[in-house]
Amino acid sequence: STLKEIVLDQIDGYPIQTVCNKAFQNSDIKSVELGSNVENIDYRAFENCTSLEIFDAQNNDSLKTIENYAFNNCKNLLYVYIPSTIKSIGGYCFQYDTKCTVMFECLNATGISLGEKWNGYDASSEVLQQKSNSIKRTIYNVSYWSYDAKTKQLSYTTNDGTVVTNR
C-alpha cells in the first residue's frame, strides 16, 4: 500500500463507525486521524503497522472500545490520543510499542475496562504498573496536543490549561 496518512471519517458520505478486524494490519500507513463518529476499533485493526507513528483521536467524541491487539507490534508508534469517551481497551493493545506515549483526555484509568496485560501493564489496579514490552509512558488529563515531526517536539495542554512541551 502507498497510503501514508489516513483520516477515518466518512466513506461516500456515510460516517465510519467501526474500524474492522485487521482493516490495516501489516500496512505501511504513517498516521491515522480518527473522525468524530468512530465508536470501535476492532481486533488487530492496526497490528504490525510498523511505519505507524501517530494515532490521533482528539477530534473524536464517540470512541468507546479498542479491541485486543489493535495496535500490537507497531514498533514506531510515537503518540496515541484517546478521548474521554473510551470505556474499554483490550488486552495486549499496545504490546511491543516501546516508543509510544499514550495520552488520555480523562484524569485516570478509573472506569475504563482494561484487558488482560493491557499494554504490558498490570490492569488489576487503577494505578497502572508498567511491565516490560510496553509503551514508554502514559499521560492523563490532556485536552489538546500537537506534534512537530520536524523538531520531534510534543506539546500538550492539560484540562486545567497547563501547557507542557517535551522532546
Side-chain angles (χ1 to χ4, degrees):
S1 168
T2 60
L3 192 60
K4 297 293 183 188
E5 298 176 6
I6 59 172
V7 177
L8 298 173
D9 191 30
Q10 296 183 357
I11 296 176
D12 294 329
Y14 294 97
I16 298 172
Q17 293 180 309
T18 299
V19 180
C20 296
N21 291 346
K22 303 179 181 180
F24 296 94
Q25 186 182 47
N26 300 313
S27 71
D28 63 352
I29 56 174
K30 191 167 180 152
S31 70
V32 175
E33 181 181 332
L34 206 60
S36 62
N37 296 305
V38 177
E39 295 179 6
N40 304 300
I41 298 173
D42 283 350
Y43 178 75
R44 299 185 188 271
F46 297 97
E47 183 179 49
N48 295 321
C49 290
T50 57
S51 296
L52 183 61
E53 295 180 351
I54 306 290
F55 179 83
D56 186 1
Q58 67 184 332
N59 293 322
N60 178 286
D61 56 4
S62 304
L63 186 62
K64 293 178 179 62
T65 305
I66 301 174
E67 296 287 342
N68 295 342
Y69 299 96
F71 294 93
N72 180 50
N73 204 38
C74 295
K75 295 182 184 224
N76 288 301
L77 188 59
L78 298 174
Y79 299 107
V80 171
Y81 181 84
I82 299 176
S84 62
T85 54
I86 195 73
K87 300 294 179 211
S88 175
I89 299 175
Y92 304 95
C93 189
F94 297 103
Q95 184 170 320
Y96 305 117
D97 301 345
T98 58
K99 296 178 182 179
C100 186
T101 295
V102 176
M103 294 172 281
F104 286 88
E105 183 178 9
C106 56
L107 294 172
N108 55 48
T110 303
I112 300 173
S113 173
L114 300 172
E116 180 182 355
K117 293 189 179 177
W118 177 79
N119 166 44
Y121 281 73
D122 177 0
S124 63
S125 168
E126 289 178 2
V127 178
L128 303 178
Q129 302 296 316
Q130 188 167 11
K131 304 290 184 186
S132 62
N133 296 326
S134 65
I135 64 169
K136 183 177 175 182
R137 63 183 168 164
T138 303
I139 303 171
Y140 293 100
N141 197 30
V142 176
S143 63
Y144 173 80
W145 75 284
S146 65
Y147 176 69
D148 183 328
K150 188 175 183 178
T151 63
K152 299 191 181 306
Q153 186 167 310
L154 167 72
S155 297
Y156 63 92
T157 305
T158 62
N159 289 326
D160 66 3
T162 303
V163 176
V164 180
T165 301
N166 292 325
R167 283 192 182 226

